[in-house]
Each structure stands twice: as structure tokens, then as C-alpha cells.
Amino acid sequence: MTQQNPTISALQLRRLALSTQGLLGRNGFGTKTTGVLKAIEHLGYIQIDTISVVERAHHHVLWSRVPGYQVSDLDKLVKKRRIFEYWAHAAAYLPMKDFRYTLPRKNAIKGGEVHWYRSLDKKLMGNTLDRIRDEGPLRARDFEHTRKSNAQGWWDWKPAKRALEQLFMQGDLMAVERIGFQKVYDLTERVLPDDVNTKEPTLDEYARFLVDSYLRANGFATLKAISYLRRSAELRKAITRVVAQDLEEGKLIDLGSLGRSGEKSSGPSRTERFFIQETLASAKPISKPRPVLKLLSPFDNLLIQRDRALNVHEFDYQIECYVPAAKRTYGYFCLPLLYGDRLVGRVDCKAHRKHSQLEIINLVVDASLGLEQVLPVFRQGLKAFADFNACTSIKISKVSPAIWRKPIASLFD
């Protein structure tokens, strides 16, 4: 029988969301490559990003959760075949143990579902596979090409690159490493470890995997969140069936709908109904964490769904690198600021690697924070982020509230 509305405060839900994401300062994953692998397996994926004004998102997300993280840790796991690249809601690193759950998408693309390209050069794809089969792993640059003089943009990838990406998306090729951020491709059968399950899951198995994975990483969910960017109507229906069954059996508990304040709504709400695992609903409340400042990636798993960030964390976040410069509010690549158990602001910054300097272009902080109380914590957090970006100095430009600028700047004089 479905259980409804346990007594869980908005604060506890917020702490639960942070805790299950590995962001409350507790070293739940461990260190080195073992900790990195546990983090990826727990979260389900780490988004890969090309923007490098600060350290790339896939490294940043792991640095925020794994003490002493080094960018080489991720590369080691790829080479050991413990993680692999494919598509989650975007390009991502995934646990190798979850390989079979990428097969529905791969087989659909191989069967004609469009990912990037509507027209395919099957002959070129066959020749591309033959070259890799004969010569070993190759990059796009290893293939000769002719580029049109008026061509521009990512959509004008050379024909071989298009062939490689199509073969990658449909599962014939995998990425064995990146050199200069370019994928190195090899045949899937030469990459997969012998013990990996390669049986495509049924629709219900896939739906079960998506529900369990999301709840493991996030603590509580809505149907919309679990179905995020899943285009298949049948898959969304299967997810709904799995959740309904778990609610009926008492494995999940209905939290009701949450208003934007994070409190449970007693009346009609435009937000969806949240549900939580029974074991988490009945667990001991999470105590207040020690005050630590973390600069999160715009592509952090905690924030990738804007509705959830708003409803759970009261944080309306939008990355502005895709917004025209004149319309930006905070900056090109502003990073959310996590202070203890609250998202309290944003910082637009840039790592000037040639000069080993981290520039704080625009720091915007919740005015309700006590300045004297948080200054030492902000110094530690900003200094740690500078170190992560191989920067030995910090330059402070704009700060809001303005009264904060001088005290913050004085920390790094």
C-alpha cells in the first residue's frame, strides 16, 4: 500500500540531496583511482565538457567529491577499462559495469534513429572500420580529408569524423583514450573486457536500472527527473510502472509535491510529486555539516536539472556561456558556490594558465551571509580551487555585495 507524506523538512531533503551526491564533505568514496571509480559508479555518469576556462567539468566534478583527485586518475580508469565514454544526457564517462544499458540507444541508432546525422556514407563507414581493424586505434586526424572553403562550425566535421562519430554512437567503436582532447577510436570487440555483460536489457530492465540509478545518486526524485531527455514514450511508461510498483510495495514513499520554498505543499501545486526510498525516509536526520566552501562545476550532477535545483535548493541556476554576452547576468562560466549545506552564490572566473593566475571576474554572494564568519572559509575554498587549476595567485575583480570586495581581495594580497 502506498505510504504518503513522511515528516521530512525542506532542510533535511536538501542535506539528503547533497549527501547522496557526495558533497557534504564526508569522504564516502575514498581516494585515488579507487575513490574515483566508486564516485562514478555511484553517480552513474560524469559529464564530459569541452570548455576549459577553468579545469574541464569531468575533472571538476570528481575533484569536488574525491580528496586529492588528480586528472590522471580518470585517464587511468579509461585505460584499465573500468569506465568508458558514451552518452548519458550528454557525452559522459560511464561505469563499465553498466555497459549493457547503453545498448538500447546504440541499437536504436544502428537501426536508423537519428543522433547527429540524417544522411550517412555507409561506404566510408565500412572503410573506416577496415582501417581501424587493420591499423589499430586511430583519431579523426589520422584520416585525410578535404574541407570546403566556406565551411564553419561543428556541423562541418570532415567526412571521416562524421563516420567515426556515427560508428561510435551506434556501438561499433569505442574511445580508448583522448589525446589533446581528441578521441582515439578502436573496435568495440577489442576494447570490452571479457567479463562485461553485453546482453541488451529488456524495456522493463532498462526502466528499473534508470529508476534505481537515479535514486541511488540523488536520494529522491520525480518521474520527470528520471525520464529526463528520454524520448521513447514506451520507456517513460515503463519508468512510471516501475515507480508505481515500488510505491505500492512500500519500497518508495510519496513525499507529495514541493513548492519553490522546498516545503511540502498542502494544496494544489504545479510541481510534480516527489518520492523517496523508504530506507532514506526513515533514516536518522543528517546533522549540519561543517562550513566548507566548494566551487561546483556548471555541469555538476547536482545541478544539471534546473527544476530540481530550484525546488530543492532554492537556486535558480542557468549557465550563461550559451547566452549572448549582452544578456548575461553573472558571467560566461559562472560556478555555483556551495557553503556547507546551502548554495549561496556564483563566481565567474578564469584560469590564466600562462601566468598561473585565477581571476575572479565576478563573485556574487547571498547578502544574508555573515561576512566575518565566512571570510576564512571563502579563502580556503578559493585557494583550493586555484591550486586545482595550477594557479599560484588569485586576482579579485568585481564582488557583490560591494562591501565584500575589499575584505575578499585582502585575503589574497
PDB file of all heavy atoms in Angstrom, residues 375-387:
ATOM      1  N   LEU A 375      34.616  34.645   5.875  1.00  0.00           N
ATOM      2  CA  LEU A 375      35.860  35.021   5.205  1.00  0.00           C
ATOM      3  C   LEU A 375      36.930  33.925   5.225  1.00  0.00           C
ATOM      4  O   LEU A 375      37.513  33.609   4.182  1.00  0.00           O
ATOM      5  CB  LEU A 375      36.421  36.312   5.805  1.00  0.00           C
ATOM      6  CG  LEU A 375      35.868  37.623   5.237  1.00  0.00           C
ATOM      7  CD1 LEU A 375      36.499  38.812   5.942  1.00  0.00           C
ATOM      8  CD2 LEU A 375      36.108  37.714   3.736  1.00  0.00           C
ATOM      9  N   PRO A 376      37.234  33.316   6.384  1.00  0.00           N
ATOM     10  CA  PRO A 376      38.257  32.261   6.384  1.00  0.00           C
ATOM     11  C   PRO A 376      37.877  31.080   5.497  1.00  0.00           C
ATOM     12  O   PRO A 376      38.732  30.501   4.823  1.00  0.00           O
ATOM     13  CB  PRO A 376      38.338  31.851   7.861  1.00  0.00           C
ATOM     14  CG  PRO A 376      37.797  33.012   8.615  1.00  0.00           C
ATOM     15  CD  PRO A 376      36.730  33.593   7.742  1.00  0.00           C
ATOM     16  N   VAL A 377      36.585  30.737   5.493  1.00  0.00           N
ATOM     17  CA  VAL A 377      36.122  29.608   4.699  1.00  0.00           C
ATOM     18  C   VAL A 377      36.225  29.931   3.206  1.00  0.00           C
ATOM     19  O   VAL A 377      36.621  29.090   2.391  1.00  0.00           O
ATOM     20  CB  VAL A 377      34.670  29.248   5.068  1.00  0.00           C
ATOM     21  CG1 VAL A 377      34.168  28.083   4.224  1.00  0.00           C
ATOM     22  CG2 VAL A 377      34.587  28.902   6.552  1.00  0.00           C
ATOM     23  N   PHE A 378      35.884  31.174   2.846  1.00  0.00           N
ATOM     24  CA  PHE A 378      35.993  31.577   1.447  1.00  0.00           C
ATOM     25  C   PHE A 378      37.455  31.568   0.992  1.00  0.00           C
ATOM     26  O   PHE A 378      37.759  31.180  -0.131  1.00  0.00           O
ATOM     27  CB  PHE A 378      35.368  32.965   1.246  1.00  0.00           C
ATOM     28  CG  PHE A 378      33.932  32.919   0.859  1.00  0.00           C
ATOM     29  CD1 PHE A 378      32.985  32.352   1.704  1.00  0.00           C
ATOM     30  CD2 PHE A 378      33.501  33.409  -0.361  1.00  0.00           C
ATOM     31  CE1 PHE A 378      31.648  32.291   1.348  1.00  0.00           C
ATOM     32  CE2 PHE A 378      32.168  33.357  -0.729  1.00  0.00           C
ATOM     33  CZ  PHE A 378      31.245  32.798   0.128  1.00  0.00           C
ATOM     34  N   ARG A 379      38.338  31.998   1.861  1.00  0.00           N
ATOM     35  CA  ARG A 379      39.759  31.976   1.487  1.00  0.00           C
ATOM     36  C   ARG A 379      40.215  30.546   1.200  1.00  0.00           C
ATOM     37  O   ARG A 379      40.883  30.279   0.199  1.00  0.00           O
ATOM     38  CB  ARG A 379      40.625  32.581   2.592  1.00  0.00           C
ATOM     39  CG  ARG A 379      42.089  32.670   2.200  1.00  0.00           C
ATOM     40  CD  ARG A 379      42.993  33.154   3.328  1.00  0.00           C
ATOM     41  NE  ARG A 379      44.345  33.391   2.845  1.00  0.00           N
ATOM     42  CZ  ARG A 379      45.218  32.431   2.577  1.00  0.00           C
ATOM     43  NH1 ARG A 379      44.898  31.159   2.757  1.00  0.00           N
ATOM     44  NH2 ARG A 379      46.431  32.735   2.123  1.00  0.00           N
ATOM     45  N   GLN A 380      39.848  29.626   2.076  1.00  0.00           N
ATOM     46  CA  GLN A 380      40.247  28.232   1.889  1.00  0.00           C
ATOM     47  C   GLN A 380      39.667  27.658   0.604  1.00  0.00           C
ATOM     48  O   GLN A 380      40.351  26.960  -0.156  1.00  0.00           O
ATOM     49  CB  GLN A 380      39.793  27.409   3.094  1.00  0.00           C
ATOM     50  CG  GLN A 380      40.508  27.762   4.388  1.00  0.00           C
ATOM     51  CD  GLN A 380      39.838  27.153   5.611  1.00  0.00           C
ATOM     52  OE1 GLN A 380      38.899  26.366   5.496  1.00  0.00           O
ATOM     53  NE2 GLN A 380      40.316  27.530   6.784  1.00  0.00           N
ATOM     54  N   GLY A 381      38.380  27.949   0.358  1.00  0.00           N
ATOM     55  CA  GLY A 381      37.728  27.398  -0.817  1.00  0.00           C
ATOM     56  C   GLY A 381      38.294  27.937  -2.118  1.00  0.00           C
ATOM     57  O   GLY A 381      38.544  27.173  -3.065  1.00  0.00           O
ATOM     58  N   LEU A 382      38.495  29.250  -2.188  1.00  0.00           N
ATOM     59  CA  LEU A 382      39.047  29.853  -3.399  1.00  0.00           C
ATOM     60  C   LEU A 382      40.491  29.423  -3.628  1.00  0.00           C
ATOM     61  O   LEU A 382      40.917  29.160  -4.764  1.00  0.00           O
ATOM     62  CB  LEU A 382      38.950  31.374  -3.316  1.00  0.00           C
ATOM     63  CG  LEU A 382      37.534  31.959  -3.359  1.00  0.00           C
ATOM     64  CD1 LEU A 382      37.567  33.465  -3.079  1.00  0.00           C
ATOM     65  CD2 LEU A 382      36.868  31.688  -4.697  1.00  0.00           C
ATOM     66  N   LYS A 383      41.254  29.322  -2.529  1.00  0.00           N
ATOM     67  CA  LYS A 383      42.654  28.886  -2.644  1.00  0.00           C
ATOM     68  C   LYS A 383      42.731  27.444  -3.129  1.00  0.00           C
ATOM     69  O   LYS A 383      43.556  27.102  -3.997  1.00  0.00           O
ATOM     70  CB  LYS A 383      43.339  29.010  -1.282  1.00  0.00           C
ATOM     71  CG  LYS A 383      44.796  28.524  -1.260  1.00  0.00           C
ATOM     72  CD  LYS A 383      45.690  29.371  -2.145  1.00  0.00           C
ATOM     73  CE  LYS A 383      47.166  29.109  -1.864  1.00  0.00           C
ATOM     74  NZ  LYS A 383      47.557  27.693  -2.031  1.00  0.00           N
ATOM     75  N   ALA A 384      41.856  26.578  -2.615  1.00  0.00           N
ATOM     76  CA  ALA A 384      41.850  25.181  -3.044  1.00  0.00           C
ATOM     77  C   ALA A 384      41.519  25.072  -4.526  1.00  0.00           C
ATOM     78  O   ALA A 384      42.113  24.267  -5.262  1.00  0.00           O
ATOM     79  CB  ALA A 384      40.851  24.381  -2.212  1.00  0.00           C
ATOM     80  N   PHE A 385      40.570  25.894  -4.979  1.00  0.00           N
ATOM     81  CA  PHE A 385      40.189  25.849  -6.391  1.00  0.00           C
ATOM     82  C   PHE A 385      41.315  26.379  -7.271  1.00  0.00           C
ATOM     83  O   PHE A 385      41.562  25.849  -8.368  1.00  0.00           O
ATOM     84  CB  PHE A 385      38.909  26.640  -6.626  1.00  0.00           C
ATOM     85  CG  PHE A 385      38.334  26.447  -7.997  1.00  0.00           C
ATOM     86  CD1 PHE A 385      37.789  25.226  -8.370  1.00  0.00           C
ATOM     87  CD2 PHE A 385      38.352  27.478  -8.921  1.00  0.00           C
ATOM     88  CE1 PHE A 385      37.278  25.032  -9.643  1.00  0.00           C
ATOM     89  CE2 PHE A 385      37.838  27.301 -10.198  1.00  0.00           C
ATOM     90  CZ  PHE A 385      37.290  26.064 -10.558  1.00  0.00           C
ATOM     91  N   ALA A 386      42.016  27.397  -6.808  1.00  0.00           N
ATOM     92  CA  ALA A 386      43.174  27.906  -7.556  1.00  0.00           C
ATOM     93  C   ALA A 386      44.246  26.832  -7.682  1.00  0.00           C
ATOM     94  O   ALA A 386      44.818  26.618  -8.763  1.00  0.00           O
ATOM     95  CB  ALA A 386      43.729  29.149  -6.870  1.00  0.00           C
ATOM     96  N   ASP A 387      44.526  26.139  -6.578  1.00  0.00           N
ATOM     97  CA  ASP A 387      45.512  25.056  -6.604  1.00  0.00           C
ATOM     98  C   ASP A 387      45.107  23.975  -7.604  1.00  0.00           C
ATOM     99  O   ASP A 387      45.946  23.454  -8.348  1.00  0.00           O
ATOM    100  CB  ASP A 387      45.668  24.444  -5.219  1.00  0.00           C
ATOM    101  CG  ASP A 387      46.321  25.389  -4.221  1.00  0.00           C
ATOM    102  OD1 ASP A 387      46.926  26.390  -4.654  1.00  0.00           O
ATOM    103  OD2 ASP A 387      46.205  25.130  -3.001  1.00  0.00           O
TER     104      ASP A 387
END
